[in-house]
Structure formats: structure tokens, C-alpha cells
Amino acid sequence: MIPFSYFILLSAVLFGIGAAGMLFRRNTIVVFMCIELMLNATNLAFVTFSKMWGNLDGQIMVLFTMVIAAAEAALGLAIIISLFRAFQSIDSSVASELKR
Amino acid sequence: MGDVTTAASGLHGIPVVFFGIIALWMIVSALGTVLAKNPINSVLFLVTNLLGVAVMYAALGAHFLAVVQVIVYAGAIVVLFLFVVMLLNVKVEREGANSLLFKVAATMCGVVFVALVARAYLPGMEDLLQTGFILEAQSSNGSSDADGTVKAIGRELFTKHVFIFEAVSLVLIVAMVAAVMLAGQRNRGEKLLKQNPKQLGIR
């Protein structure tokens, strides 16, 4: 019998790793992967809470999150491709034209 | 084999050792995703991590979600990532001047978040070591009907949440069309930036 707190703590650790990585990587593809990490961490927390309260709504939310994550990945990668076409780089610091 | 069948039967009745191995595997692969220099390695670490999440779903009794996790994430989303990484073929990452300070600050953000959650959900470390979650008793009365079988998930999805289900499918269609629009126009944005930058007021 694994306590639910272990799952929550694991989810928090994964979310923290994803958040830190999203902040300090410059490669936009890796930033998107870190966002996927964070989404999966929250999904794990959803499933844990769903199990804990005996309520399936959390698992339904995970399904919807997966759909939104798929949409987000498709859109984000399309944006990365057009970013690469415009700047010949996927470094997030090159896309700073709005600063000037 | 015994461990696998216990894990698949739900009720998170898996041994703590099994949980520890998978958790370590997931944390190491998450760190690898963040720290790997080559994006290809990052993607492969990410798919390892996502498979670990699927194992955790199975251990929590969410069998349908575990299968969907493997099919949708490992089968579709990660392949999309891999495709884009190989299409663009960019390996060298240029680091900024304030890189070290920024990295320390980012790591602190992650650590602070983990500490906050640990503080909120674990009243004390002795609680983590001995009894675990304070609401552990809740699991006994509701665990039987919270097994995420296809039947249970389908009944919930198509009765209670059917409107959100349809709305989300619409979101997916719109996102697909938008992705094709964004990535498909081969030279419109390029032309705007390269040939006619003054008209946009850029530089």
C-alpha cells in the first residue's frame, strides 16, 4: 500500500523539474518538452486525487488535459517551425523583435 | 511477473520498492529531459518519463488512462516532437550572458515549488515516513468505483461530461487547422521579415 502522499510528492518533484527547465533552457523545443513534463505531473496529481476520493472526474479531466496538450504540441511545434523559417534558429532569445 | 499483475490490478497495492524504482526512473529521466544538450536525447528521456507516468496510472487503477498515455503521448506527441527535432536539425544551443544567475534562479523556483507542495501535503516528515497521507482512510470506501476501466470512463464521459467532450473535439479540430496554417505557409512570414522589414517597423 503506497501512501497517496508519495504520488503527490513525485508529481510535485516532476512539476518542479519541468518548471525549472522551462525557465532556464533556451531551446524552444526543449521548453515545450518541459511544458509536457509539467502537464504530466499535474495529470499524475489528478489521477491520484481521483483515486483518493473515489471519484472519476479527475480521470476525465486528465483525458481533456491530454487532448489540450496534443493541440498545444501541434500548435507550438508549428510556431517553432515558422520561428525557424524566420530566424534560422530556434533559440528563444532570437525572437526578441518586439523589444525594440 | 507477480509485481506486474499486482500493479495492473489497481488499488495501488504495489510494493514500495516497485514504486521507488519507477519514481527514481521518472525523476532521472525528467532531469535528463531538462539537462540533455542534444534535443534528440531530450525527446528520448521524455518518452521514458511518459512511460513511467503510464506505469503510475496503472498502479493507481487508471487502466484506460495508462493505455491512452502510451498511445497518445508516446505514440503521437513525442513522435511529433522527434519529427520536428529531426526536421530542424538544430543541435547547438547558445547560452546567454546571464546564464548562470538565471539558471540558479530557475532551479530555486522549482525547488521552492516542491517545498511548498511538500509543506502543504505533508504536515511533517515523520508523517511521510510513518502514516503517509492524512486522508489515507478515504481510499477504503471509494476505491472500488474509482477504477478507471473503459466502461466506467466511457459512462462518465458520455453522460456527465458530454458537452465538454464535444467542445474539446472542436478545440482539437481548430488547433489542427491552425497548425497546418502556421506551418504550411512556406514563405509568408519569411518574406515579411526578410524582404520587407521596414514596412513592419522592425529594425
PDB file of all heavy atoms in Angstrom, chain B residues 72-103:
ATOM      1  N   VAL B  72      -1.259   7.980 -26.906  1.00  0.00           N
ATOM      2  CA  VAL B  72      -1.327   9.381 -27.313  1.00  0.00           C
ATOM      3  C   VAL B  72       0.014  10.078 -27.106  1.00  0.00           C
ATOM      4  O   VAL B  72       0.542  10.719 -28.006  1.00  0.00           O
ATOM      5  CB  VAL B  72      -2.456  10.115 -26.556  1.00  0.00           C
ATOM      6  CG1 VAL B  72      -2.385  11.595 -26.819  1.00  0.00           C
ATOM      7  CG2 VAL B  72      -3.784   9.577 -26.987  1.00  0.00           C
ATOM      8  N   TYR B  73       0.597   9.930 -25.907  1.00  0.00           N
ATOM      9  CA  TYR B  73       1.835  10.661 -25.642  1.00  0.00           C
ATOM     10  C   TYR B  73       3.026  10.014 -26.333  1.00  0.00           C
ATOM     11  O   TYR B  73       3.688  10.611 -27.178  1.00  0.00           O
ATOM     12  CB  TYR B  73       2.083  10.762 -24.141  1.00  0.00           C
ATOM     13  CG  TYR B  73       1.564  12.051 -23.565  1.00  0.00           C
ATOM     14  CD1 TYR B  73       0.467  12.088 -22.745  1.00  0.00           C
ATOM     15  CD2 TYR B  73       2.193  13.247 -23.884  1.00  0.00           C
ATOM     16  CE1 TYR B  73      -0.015  13.262 -22.246  1.00  0.00           C
ATOM     17  CE2 TYR B  73       1.719  14.429 -23.377  1.00  0.00           C
ATOM     18  CZ  TYR B  73       0.617  14.432 -22.564  1.00  0.00           C
ATOM     19  OH  TYR B  73       0.141  15.596 -22.072  1.00  0.00           O
ATOM     20  N   ALA B  74       3.288   8.750 -25.974  1.00  0.00           N
ATOM     21  CA  ALA B  74       4.468   8.110 -26.544  1.00  0.00           C
ATOM     22  C   ALA B  74       4.301   7.859 -28.033  1.00  0.00           C
ATOM     23  O   ALA B  74       5.259   7.888 -28.792  1.00  0.00           O
ATOM     24  CB  ALA B  74       4.744   6.800 -25.803  1.00  0.00           C
ATOM     25  N   GLY B  75       3.056   7.624 -28.447  1.00  0.00           N
ATOM     26  CA  GLY B  75       2.856   7.272 -29.840  1.00  0.00           C
ATOM     27  C   GLY B  75       2.649   8.450 -30.757  1.00  0.00           C
ATOM     28  O   GLY B  75       3.017   8.391 -31.927  1.00  0.00           O
ATOM     29  N   ALA B  76       2.073   9.525 -30.265  1.00  0.00           N
ATOM     30  CA  ALA B  76       1.736  10.629 -31.161  1.00  0.00           C
ATOM     31  C   ALA B  76       2.529  11.896 -30.842  1.00  0.00           C
ATOM     32  O   ALA B  76       3.233  12.427 -31.694  1.00  0.00           O
ATOM     33  CB  ALA B  76       0.239  10.911 -31.091  1.00  0.00           C
ATOM     34  N   ILE B  77       2.452  12.362 -29.601  1.00  0.00           N
ATOM     35  CA  ILE B  77       3.010  13.674 -29.290  1.00  0.00           C
ATOM     36  C   ILE B  77       4.537  13.633 -29.356  1.00  0.00           C
ATOM     37  O   ILE B  77       5.184  14.502 -29.940  1.00  0.00           O
ATOM     38  CB  ILE B  77       2.506  14.146 -27.911  1.00  0.00           C
ATOM     39  CG1 ILE B  77       0.999  14.366 -27.982  1.00  0.00           C
ATOM     40  CG2 ILE B  77       3.206  15.412 -27.489  1.00  0.00           C
ATOM     41  CD1 ILE B  77       0.403  14.911 -26.731  1.00  0.00           C
ATOM     42  N   VAL B  78       5.125  12.570 -28.780  1.00  0.00           N
ATOM     43  CA  VAL B  78       6.588  12.502 -28.772  1.00  0.00           C
ATOM     44  C   VAL B  78       7.123  12.291 -30.178  1.00  0.00           C
ATOM     45  O   VAL B  78       8.180  12.818 -30.538  1.00  0.00           O
ATOM     46  CB  VAL B  78       7.042  11.411 -27.792  1.00  0.00           C
ATOM     47  CG1 VAL B  78       8.519  11.184 -27.901  1.00  0.00           C
ATOM     48  CG2 VAL B  78       6.702  11.813 -26.388  1.00  0.00           C
ATOM     49  N   VAL B  79       6.368  11.519 -30.999  1.00  0.00           N
ATOM     50  CA  VAL B  79       6.803  11.346 -32.387  1.00  0.00           C
ATOM     51  C   VAL B  79       6.764  12.686 -33.116  1.00  0.00           C
ATOM     52  O   VAL B  79       7.646  12.988 -33.934  1.00  0.00           O
ATOM     53  CB  VAL B  79       5.928  10.281 -33.069  1.00  0.00           C
ATOM     54  CG1 VAL B  79       6.165  10.264 -34.558  1.00  0.00           C
ATOM     55  CG2 VAL B  79       6.230   8.927 -32.481  1.00  0.00           C
ATOM     56  N   LEU B  80       5.755  13.503 -32.776  1.00  0.00           N
ATOM     57  CA  LEU B  80       5.691  14.842 -33.369  1.00  0.00           C
ATOM     58  C   LEU B  80       6.918  15.664 -32.970  1.00  0.00           C
ATOM     59  O   LEU B  80       7.546  16.327 -33.810  1.00  0.00           O
ATOM     60  CB  LEU B  80       4.406  15.524 -32.904  1.00  0.00           C
ATOM     61  CG  LEU B  80       3.950  16.772 -33.641  1.00  0.00           C
ATOM     62  CD1 LEU B  80       3.651  16.434 -35.075  1.00  0.00           C
ATOM     63  CD2 LEU B  80       2.720  17.327 -32.974  1.00  0.00           C
ATOM     64  N   PHE B  81       7.273  15.589 -31.685  1.00  0.00           N
ATOM     65  CA  PHE B  81       8.474  16.292 -31.220  1.00  0.00           C
ATOM     66  C   PHE B  81       9.711  15.801 -31.960  1.00  0.00           C
ATOM     67  O   PHE B  81      10.534  16.592 -32.432  1.00  0.00           O
ATOM     68  CB  PHE B  81       8.668  16.066 -29.719  1.00  0.00           C
ATOM     69  CG  PHE B  81       7.954  17.050 -28.857  1.00  0.00           C
ATOM     70  CD1 PHE B  81       6.751  16.725 -28.271  1.00  0.00           C
ATOM     71  CD2 PHE B  81       8.476  18.303 -28.635  1.00  0.00           C
ATOM     72  CE1 PHE B  81       6.075  17.618 -27.483  1.00  0.00           C
ATOM     73  CE2 PHE B  81       7.814  19.207 -27.846  1.00  0.00           C
ATOM     74  CZ  PHE B  81       6.612  18.866 -27.268  1.00  0.00           C
ATOM     75  N   LEU B  82       9.845  14.475 -32.049  1.00  0.00           N
ATOM     76  CA  LEU B  82      11.009  13.879 -32.701  1.00  0.00           C
ATOM     77  C   LEU B  82      11.082  14.310 -34.164  1.00  0.00           C
ATOM     78  O   LEU B  82      12.154  14.639 -34.683  1.00  0.00           O
ATOM     79  CB  LEU B  82      10.891  12.358 -32.594  1.00  0.00           C
ATOM     80  CG  LEU B  82      12.152  11.527 -32.534  1.00  0.00           C
ATOM     81  CD1 LEU B  82      13.060  12.037 -31.457  1.00  0.00           C
ATOM     82  CD2 LEU B  82      11.776  10.088 -32.262  1.00  0.00           C
ATOM     83  N   PHE B  83       9.918  14.352 -34.796  1.00  0.00           N
ATOM     84  CA  PHE B  83       9.853  14.753 -36.190  1.00  0.00           C
ATOM     85  C   PHE B  83      10.359  16.189 -36.354  1.00  0.00           C
ATOM     86  O   PHE B  83      11.167  16.475 -37.247  1.00  0.00           O
ATOM     87  CB  PHE B  83       8.405  14.629 -36.656  1.00  0.00           C
ATOM     88  CG  PHE B  83       8.189  15.004 -38.080  1.00  0.00           C
ATOM     89  CD1 PHE B  83       8.632  14.187 -39.098  1.00  0.00           C
ATOM     90  CD2 PHE B  83       7.550  16.179 -38.405  1.00  0.00           C
ATOM     91  CE1 PHE B  83       8.440  14.542 -40.412  1.00  0.00           C
ATOM     92  CE2 PHE B  83       7.349  16.535 -39.715  1.00  0.00           C
ATOM     93  CZ  PHE B  83       7.805  15.709 -40.718  1.00  0.00           C
ATOM     94  N   VAL B  84       9.917  17.080 -35.478  1.00  0.00           N
ATOM     95  CA  VAL B  84      10.325  18.482 -35.606  1.00  0.00           C
ATOM     96  C   VAL B  84      11.808  18.637 -35.291  1.00  0.00           C
ATOM     97  O   VAL B  84      12.519  19.383 -35.963  1.00  0.00           O
ATOM     98  CB  VAL B  84       9.444  19.372 -34.709  1.00  0.00           C
ATOM     99  CG1 VAL B  84       9.984  20.784 -34.660  1.00  0.00           C
ATOM    100  CG2 VAL B  84       8.055  19.378 -35.223  1.00  0.00           C
ATOM    101  N   VAL B  85      12.301  17.900 -34.275  1.00  0.00           N
ATOM    102  CA  VAL B  85      13.725  17.990 -33.940  1.00  0.00           C
ATOM    103  C   VAL B  85      14.566  17.548 -35.129  1.00  0.00           C
ATOM    104  O   VAL B  85      15.549  18.201 -35.504  1.00  0.00           O
ATOM    105  CB  VAL B  85      14.035  17.132 -32.699  1.00  0.00           C
ATOM    106  CG1 VAL B  85      15.528  16.990 -32.520  1.00  0.00           C
ATOM    107  CG2 VAL B  85      13.444  17.747 -31.468  1.00  0.00           C
ATOM    108  N   MET B  86      14.157  16.454 -35.760  1.00  0.00           N
ATOM    109  CA  MET B  86      14.947  15.963 -36.889  1.00  0.00           C
ATOM    110  C   MET B  86      14.759  16.837 -38.117  1.00  0.00           C
ATOM    111  O   MET B  86      15.665  16.962 -38.933  1.00  0.00           O
ATOM    112  CB  MET B  86      14.558  14.524 -37.198  1.00  0.00           C
ATOM    113  CG  MET B  86      15.025  13.584 -36.121  1.00  0.00           C
ATOM    114  SD  MET B  86      14.698  11.899 -36.520  1.00  0.00           S
ATOM    115  CE  MET B  86      15.498  11.082 -35.149  1.00  0.00           C
ATOM    116  N   LEU B  87      13.586  17.446 -38.259  1.00  0.00           N
ATOM    117  CA  LEU B  87      13.343  18.330 -39.404  1.00  0.00           C
ATOM    118  C   LEU B  87      14.220  19.573 -39.311  1.00  0.00           C
ATOM    119  O   LEU B  87      14.833  19.989 -40.292  1.00  0.00           O
ATOM    120  CB  LEU B  87      11.868  18.723 -39.438  1.00  0.00           C
ATOM    121  CG  LEU B  87      11.420  19.643 -40.555  1.00  0.00           C
ATOM    122  CD1 LEU B  87      11.397  18.890 -41.848  1.00  0.00           C
ATOM    123  CD2 LEU B  87      10.044  20.182 -40.256  1.00  0.00           C
ATOM    124  N   LEU B  88      14.296  20.163 -38.131  1.00  0.00           N
ATOM    125  CA  LEU B  88      15.041  21.413 -37.993  1.00  0.00           C
ATOM    126  C   LEU B  88      16.533  21.156 -37.833  1.00  0.00           C
ATOM    127  O   LEU B  88      17.355  21.950 -38.257  1.00  0.00           O
ATOM    128  CB  LEU B  88      14.515  22.216 -36.803  1.00  0.00           C
ATOM    129  CG  LEU B  88      13.046  22.600 -36.921  1.00  0.00           C
ATOM    130  CD1 LEU B  88      12.649  23.476 -35.765  1.00  0.00           C
ATOM    131  CD2 LEU B  88      12.774  23.320 -38.214  1.00  0.00           C
ATOM    132  N   ASN B  89      16.875  20.036 -37.167  1.00  0.00           N
ATOM    133  CA  ASN B  89      18.272  19.625 -37.043  1.00  0.00           C
ATOM    134  C   ASN B  89      19.143  20.717 -36.444  1.00  0.00           C
ATOM    135  O   ASN B  89      20.178  21.081 -36.985  1.00  0.00           O
ATOM    136  CB  ASN B  89      18.813  19.203 -38.417  1.00  0.00           C
ATOM    137  CG  ASN B  89      20.069  18.389 -38.262  1.00  0.00           C
ATOM    138  OD1 ASN B  89      20.345  17.902 -37.178  1.00  0.00           O
ATOM    139  ND2 ASN B  89      20.819  18.258 -39.327  1.00  0.00           N
ATOM    140  N   VAL B  90      18.685  21.276 -35.328  1.00  0.00           N
ATOM    141  CA  VAL B  90      19.468  22.286 -34.621  1.00  0.00           C
ATOM    142  C   VAL B  90      20.052  21.635 -33.381  1.00  0.00           C
ATOM    143  O   VAL B  90      19.321  21.085 -32.561  1.00  0.00           O
ATOM    144  CB  VAL B  90      18.598  23.484 -34.216  1.00  0.00           C
ATOM    145  CG1 VAL B  90      19.431  24.487 -33.458  1.00  0.00           C
ATOM    146  CG2 VAL B  90      18.019  24.114 -35.441  1.00  0.00           C
ATOM    147  N   LYS B  91      21.351  21.652 -33.256  1.00  0.00           N
ATOM    148  CA  LYS B  91      21.966  20.982 -32.114  1.00  0.00           C
ATOM    149  C   LYS B  91      22.606  21.957 -31.142  1.00  0.00           C
ATOM    150  O   LYS B  91      22.573  21.759 -29.945  1.00  0.00           O
ATOM    151  CB  LYS B  91      23.022  19.989 -32.591  1.00  0.00           C
ATOM    152  CG  LYS B  91      22.394  18.731 -33.142  1.00  0.00           C
ATOM    153  CD  LYS B  91      23.431  17.743 -33.566  1.00  0.00           C
ATOM    154  CE  LYS B  91      22.763  16.518 -34.156  1.00  0.00           C
ATOM    155  NZ  LYS B  91      23.719  15.694 -34.867  1.00  0.00           N
ATOM    156  N   VAL B  92      23.207  22.999 -31.655  1.00  0.00           N
ATOM    157  CA  VAL B  92      23.971  23.886 -30.782  1.00  0.00           C
ATOM    158  C   VAL B  92      23.029  24.878 -30.127  1.00  0.00           C
ATOM    159  O   VAL B  92      22.239  25.540 -30.793  1.00  0.00           O
ATOM    160  CB  VAL B  92      25.047  24.642 -31.591  1.00  0.00           C
ATOM    161  CG1 VAL B  92      25.894  25.484 -30.660  1.00  0.00           C
ATOM    162  CG2 VAL B  92      25.898  23.651 -32.334  1.00  0.00           C
ATOM    163  N   GLU B  93      23.105  24.949 -28.834  1.00  0.00           N
ATOM    164  CA  GLU B  93      22.286  25.905 -28.100  1.00  0.00           C
ATOM    165  C   GLU B  93      23.183  27.018 -27.584  1.00  0.00           C
ATOM    166  O   GLU B  93      24.166  26.777 -26.901  1.00  0.00           O
ATOM    167  CB  GLU B  93      21.589  25.215 -26.934  1.00  0.00           C
ATOM    168  CG  GLU B  93      20.692  26.148 -26.168  1.00  0.00           C
ATOM    169  CD  GLU B  93      19.886  25.392 -25.130  1.00  0.00           C
ATOM    170  OE1 GLU B  93      20.059  24.175 -25.036  1.00  0.00           O
ATOM    171  OE2 GLU B  93      19.109  26.030 -24.432  1.00  0.00           O
ATOM    172  N   ARG B  94      22.820  28.231 -27.928  1.00  0.00           N
ATOM    173  CA  ARG B  94      23.614  29.368 -27.494  1.00  0.00           C
ATOM    174  C   ARG B  94      23.100  29.834 -26.142  1.00  0.00           C
ATOM    175  O   ARG B  94      21.913  30.093 -25.967  1.00  0.00           O
ATOM    176  CB  ARG B  94      23.493  30.490 -28.518  1.00  0.00           C
ATOM    177  CG  ARG B  94      24.500  31.599 -28.361  1.00  0.00           C
ATOM    178  CD  ARG B  94      24.442  32.487 -29.596  1.00  0.00           C
ATOM    179  NE  ARG B  94      23.085  32.942 -29.858  1.00  0.00           N
ATOM    180  CZ  ARG B  94      22.548  34.013 -29.283  1.00  0.00           C
ATOM    181  NH1 ARG B  94      23.239  34.713 -28.431  1.00  0.00           N
ATOM    182  NH2 ARG B  94      21.330  34.383 -29.575  1.00  0.00           N
ATOM    183  N   GLU B  95      23.999  29.918 -25.181  1.00  0.00           N
ATOM    184  CA  GLU B  95      23.586  30.360 -23.852  1.00  0.00           C
ATOM    185  C   GLU B  95      23.794  31.851 -23.707  1.00  0.00           C
ATOM    186  O   GLU B  95      24.735  32.424 -24.249  1.00  0.00           O
ATOM    187  CB  GLU B  95      24.407  29.641 -22.779  1.00  0.00           C
ATOM    188  CG  GLU B  95      24.230  28.145 -22.781  1.00  0.00           C
ATOM    189  CD  GLU B  95      22.827  27.720 -22.364  1.00  0.00           C
ATOM    190  OE1 GLU B  95      22.134  28.529 -21.739  1.00  0.00           O
ATOM    191  OE2 GLU B  95      22.453  26.585 -22.685  1.00  0.00           O
ATOM    192  N   GLY B  96      22.920  32.490 -22.924  1.00  0.00           N
ATOM    193  CA  GLY B  96      23.031  33.926 -22.747  1.00  0.00           C
ATOM    194  C   GLY B  96      24.135  34.299 -21.784  1.00  0.00           C
ATOM    195  O   GLY B  96      24.782  33.446 -21.172  1.00  0.00           O
ATOM    196  N   ALA B  97      24.345  35.603 -21.627  1.00  0.00           N
ATOM    197  CA  ALA B  97      25.411  36.059 -20.747  1.00  0.00           C
ATOM    198  C   ALA B  97      25.035  35.862 -19.279  1.00  0.00           C
ATOM    199  O   ALA B  97      25.866  35.524 -18.447  1.00  0.00           O
ATOM    200  CB  ALA B  97      25.708  37.529 -21.025  1.00  0.00           C
ATOM    201  N   ASN B  98      23.768  36.070 -18.966  1.00  0.00           N
ATOM    202  CA  ASN B  98      23.330  35.938 -17.584  1.00  0.00           C
ATOM    203  C   ASN B  98      22.893  34.509 -17.279  1.00  0.00           C
ATOM    204  O   ASN B  98      22.019  34.275 -16.476  1.00  0.00           O
ATOM    205  CB  ASN B  98      22.194  36.905 -17.288  1.00  0.00           C
ATOM    206  CG  ASN B  98      21.049  36.700 -18.256  1.00  0.00           C
ATOM    207  OD1 ASN B  98      21.172  35.959 -19.222  1.00  0.00           O
ATOM    208  ND2 ASN B  98      19.939  37.361 -17.987  1.00  0.00           N
ATOM    209  N   SER B  99      23.531  33.578 -17.958  1.00  0.00           N
ATOM    210  CA  SER B  99      23.036  32.208 -17.931  1.00  0.00           C
ATOM    211  C   SER B  99      23.089  31.604 -16.529  1.00  0.00           C
ATOM    212  O   SER B  99      22.119  31.006 -16.073  1.00  0.00           O
ATOM    213  CB  SER B  99      23.861  31.379 -18.894  1.00  0.00           C
ATOM    214  OG  SER B  99      23.417  30.071 -18.893  1.00  0.00           O
ATOM    215  N   LEU B 100      24.224  31.775 -15.849  1.00  0.00           N
ATOM    216  CA  LEU B 100      24.405  31.076 -14.580  1.00  0.00           C
ATOM    217  C   LEU B 100      23.426  31.590 -13.524  1.00  0.00           C
ATOM    218  O   LEU B 100      22.739  30.819 -12.859  1.00  0.00           O
ATOM    219  CB  LEU B 100      25.850  31.236 -14.105  1.00  0.00           C
ATOM    220  CG  LEU B 100      26.156  30.471 -12.832  1.00  0.00           C
ATOM    221  CD1 LEU B 100      26.047  28.975 -13.071  1.00  0.00           C
ATOM    222  CD2 LEU B 100      27.536  30.807 -12.310  1.00  0.00           C
ATOM    223  N   LEU B 101      23.344  32.924 -13.417  1.00  0.00           N
ATOM    224  CA  LEU B 101      22.426  33.525 -12.452  1.00  0.00           C
ATOM    225  C   LEU B 101      20.995  33.093 -12.741  1.00  0.00           C
ATOM    226  O   LEU B 101      20.229  32.722 -11.851  1.00  0.00           O
ATOM    227  CB  LEU B 101      22.557  35.045 -12.510  1.00  0.00           C
ATOM    228  CG  LEU B 101      21.621  35.816 -11.578  1.00  0.00           C
ATOM    229  CD1 LEU B 101      21.994  35.570 -10.146  1.00  0.00           C
ATOM    230  CD2 LEU B 101      21.659  37.297 -11.900  1.00  0.00           C
ATOM    231  N   PHE B 102      20.684  33.096 -14.042  1.00  0.00           N
ATOM    232  CA  PHE B 102      19.333  32.748 -14.442  1.00  0.00           C
ATOM    233  C   PHE B 102      19.033  31.294 -14.126  1.00  0.00           C
ATOM    234  O   PHE B 102      17.956  30.951 -13.665  1.00  0.00           O
ATOM    235  CB  PHE B 102      19.189  33.014 -15.937  1.00  0.00           C
ATOM    236  CG  PHE B 102      17.773  33.218 -16.354  1.00  0.00           C
ATOM    237  CD1 PHE B 102      17.098  34.368 -15.996  1.00  0.00           C
ATOM    238  CD2 PHE B 102      17.128  32.256 -17.092  1.00  0.00           C
ATOM    239  CE1 PHE B 102      15.795  34.548 -16.368  1.00  0.00           C
ATOM    240  CE2 PHE B 102      15.811  32.430 -17.464  1.00  0.00           C
ATOM    241  CZ  PHE B 102      15.153  33.574 -17.105  1.00  0.00           C
ATOM    242  N   LYS B 103      20.037  30.431 -14.350  1.00  0.00           N
ATOM    243  CA  LYS B 103      19.831  29.016 -14.080  1.00  0.00           C
ATOM    244  C   LYS B 103      19.627  28.772 -12.586  1.00  0.00           C
ATOM    245  O   LYS B 103      18.769  27.976 -12.190  1.00  0.00           O
ATOM    246  CB  LYS B 103      21.024  28.206 -14.580  1.00  0.00           C
ATOM    247  CG  LYS B 103      20.960  27.922 -16.052  1.00  0.00           C
ATOM    248  CD  LYS B 103      22.129  27.085 -16.502  1.00  0.00           C
ATOM    249  CE  LYS B 103      22.020  26.826 -17.983  1.00  0.00           C
ATOM    250  NZ  LYS B 103      23.152  26.077 -18.490  1.00  0.00           N
TER     251      LYS B 103
END
